[in-house]
Amino acid sequence: MTGQLQVNRALFDEVMVPNYAPAGIIPVSGKGSRVWDQQGREYVDFAGGIAVSSLGHCHPALVNALTQQASKLWHLSNVMTNEPALRLAKKLVDATFADKVYFANSGAEANEAAFKLARRYALEKFGADKDQIISFSKSFHGRTFFTVTVGGQAAYSDGFGPKPGAVLHAEFNNLDSVKALISDKTCAVVLEPIQGEGGIIPGTAEFIRGVRELCDKHNALLVMDEVQTGVGRTGKLYAYMHYGVTPDILTTAKSLGGGFPIGAMLTTNDIASHLKVGTHGSTYGGNPLACAVAEAVIDTINTPDVMQQVLDNEQLFRAELERINAKYQVFSEVRGQGMLLGAVLNDTYKGRSREFFLAAADHGLMALVAGTDVVRFAPSLVITADDIHQGMQRFEQAVKQVVNG
Ligand SMILES: Cc1ncc(COP(=O)(O)O)c(C=O)c1O
């Protein structure tokens, strides 16, 4: 009988919990940076599944890694380890500051592990008084209750009863606001090098270095949430590498799996030693399918050529956005780095990012918003120049539509 089922957008409202409001179209296939919907209509993908599809859709290296692993071994749980997980962990350790890796299934879970570890480390090393976590206004760290409470938008954590305590919020890019809150009771400061959901707001080098110094002064851990900025998205494997600042704990997800769910927490030997047997875990974390795909993602992305392509693509995006803006005057600036860019709407169009997003879809372009004032682009890192030009032609039509009402 399933063959007769009409799978359409109306079915979503019938059978799905209403916490999302998905677009009217239902995509059914993708290749590179192109996607097709049920009606065969084609879209250029500048959204990348919210900074996830780092190598576009159905990249041959990922299809190969997934299908090879799919015919070997799908799952064990952490009662046993597996080859893809160990290979991936070794690659992450070799490529970063980290000595140890913990695998999870999403960004929120990687952050949950990071925050629990920071608390545990401080408790065991300095005592129960050192439990405060400082994060930032507008930050986003996931939707589990701990991570959403650490995140900087109370609206997302309100309405679910008592919240996890000892979480303080400072102002991003304002070192004085951190100085005002940090003390020997601080166990960790958590930041995104570029705030993603908050509006593509890059942390300044001065701020990030200053936070590192304050953490050192107060024996607090610096946790960098690189869920959105990681795995080459900013033109380096991880964004911390731009600043000459090393975190104590780093979380990564999204681009790491290129579309297959995986998250990871990276840290040092000393800190990792506090997550002893039985203190934390996940049935699926380190799943062989996820790790096999992520290994292929790292192998493909972590090359000088791809890192250069990300920077070249950023220049193309910026040039096209400037060209469009010269004609229609809608943006005040383009923020971000690499393939994580935000076109900030000027005073005339402030609050209307969703209109641009919807108009883009009308013209065959998948874009994103980051709050109400920013149109966000987080495409495949290896999107071709041709796809960028075609996508921007469509975006220009969308801008024209909004401007002309
Ligand atoms: C910086 C950051 N951290 C954490 C998350 C949560 O990741 P996930 O949705 O995979 O749980 C996100 C998702 O947007 C993010 O941008």
Side-chain angles (χ1 to χ4, degrees):
M1 294 306 275
T2 12
Q4 287 163 12
L5 182 68
Q6 285 289 315
V7 177
N8 52 31
R9 178 59 179 76
L11 188 60
F12 179 93
D13 294 331
E14 193 183 320
V15 299
M16 299 291 281
V17 167
N19 61 315
Y20 301 118
I25 59 143
I26 300 185
V28 292
S29 65
K31 188 94 197 120
S33 288
R34 305 281 170 143
V35 171
W36 292 267
D37 71 12
Q38 286 175 315
Q39 281 68 41
R41 185 156 181 244
E42 182 224 66
Y43 298 80
V44 175
D45 186 1
F46 280 2
I50 319 191
V52 165
S53 308
S54 46
L55 291 167
H57 299 274
C58 300
H59 188 285
L62 307 197
V63 171
N64 185 48
L66 182 62
T67 49
Q68 292 265 328
Q69 189 59 40
S71 55
K72 278 193 199 158
L73 184 70
W74 285 33
H75 179 72
L76 290 164
S77 92
N78 288 297
V79 172
M80 293 184 188
T81 190
N82 67 78
E83 291 181 355
L86 296 181
R87 280 201 305 265
L88 174 61
K90 177 78 173 109
K91 284 181 178 167
L92 289 170
V93 162
D94 285 349
T96 66
F97 74 97
D99 308 309
K100 291 282 197 286
V101 178
Y102 167 84
F103 287 122
N105 313 293
S106 65
E109 279 182 62
N111 282 330
E112 185 81 22
F115 304 161
K116 282 179 73 178
L117 174 57
R119 283 268 178 86
R120 187 71 151 206
Y121 174 83
L123 177 81
E124 292 184 351
K125 216 158 165 160
F126 302 99
D129 275 351
K130 197 172 176 65
D131 62 358
Q132 292 181 352
I133 294 176
I134 298 176
S135 77
F136 294 95
S137 53
K138 294 194 173 173
S139 68
F140 186 80
H141 301 294
R143 295 284 199 153
T144 65
F145 208 17
F146 196 1
T147 58
V148 82
T149 304
V150 171
Q153 292 198 58
Y156 291 161
S157 54
D158 288 345
F160 296 97
K163 300 180 191 185
V167 176
L168 310 174
H169 293 97
E171 202 183 311
F172 196 60
N173 277 337
N174 179 344
L175 209 51
D176 287 337
S177 77
V178 185
K179 282 182 192 154
L181 293 181
I182 200 165
S183 73
D184 291 346
K185 290 186 167 181
T186 309
C187 72
V189 180
V190 181
L191 62 78
E192 298 160 80
I194 300 173
Q195 288 193 328
E197 301 304 301
I200 313 296
I201 306 170
T204 65
E206 189 194 4
F207 174 70
I208 291 177
R209 288 181 196 137
V211 170
R212 174 74 272 180
E213 281 167 22
L214 287 172
C215 285
D216 291 343
K217 189 170 159 202
H218 294 280
N219 286 318
L221 299 181
L222 175 59
V223 180
M224 281 207 192
D225 177 343
E226 293 233 28
V227 167
Q228 192 148 165
T229 53
V231 195
R233 187 150 293 280
T234 67
K236 288 203 187 278
L237 187 62
Y238 285 98
Y240 80 84
M241 296 168 176
H242 290 290
Y243 302 98
V245 164
T246 306
D248 300 298
I249 302 178
L250 179 149
T251 54
T252 176
K254 286 191 182 277
S255 293
L256 180 60
F260 202 99
I262 184 169
M265 175 187 74
L266 279 55
T267 190
T268 63
N269 277 324
D270 175 37
I271 299 167
S273 69
H274 293 267
L275 222 48
K276 295 186 187 74
V277 172
T279 49
H280 192 59
S282 151
T283 299
Y284 289 116
N287 168 277
L289 292 169
C291 291
V293 174
E295 186 191 1
V297 169
I298 294 286
D299 286 346
T300 310
I301 287 178
N302 196 19
T303 67
D305 282 357
V306 172
M307 292 300 120
Q308 188 55 48
Q309 190 179 354
V310 172
L311 299 177
D312 294 346
N313 283 346
E314 175 184 350
Q315 293 320 311
L316 281 181
F317 260 81
R318 285 182 178 276
E320 290 277 13
L321 288 168
E322 263 170 40
R323 180 183 63 74
I324 294 168
N325 205 33
K327 243 172 158 173
Y328 296 101
Q329 284 95 40
V330 282
F331 308 125
S332 55
E333 63 170 317
V334 175
R335 294 195 293 234
Q337 207 170 9
M339 288 292 86
L340 182 59
L341 296 172
V344 185
L345 297 173
N346 63 23
D347 285 343
T348 315
Y349 296 94
K350 237 184 179 54
R352 294 172 61 184
S353 61
R354 197 169 160 78
E355 284 178 49
F356 287 86
F357 159 82
L358 291 172
D362 284 350
H363 290 277
L365 176 73
M366 295 161 89
L368 293 167
V369 303
T372 54
D373 300 337
V374 177
V375 182
R376 173 173 33 162
F377 304 101
S380 158
L381 307 187
V382 295
I383 185 171
T384 62
D386 190 43
D387 284 341
I388 294 175
H389 291 308
Q390 289 206 31
M392 282 298 177
Q393 279 168 16
R394 297 178 189 192
F395 188 58
E396 181 174 351
Q397 294 310 308
V399 169
K400 190 174 163 192
Q401 182 178 310
V402 175
V403 168
N404 292 339

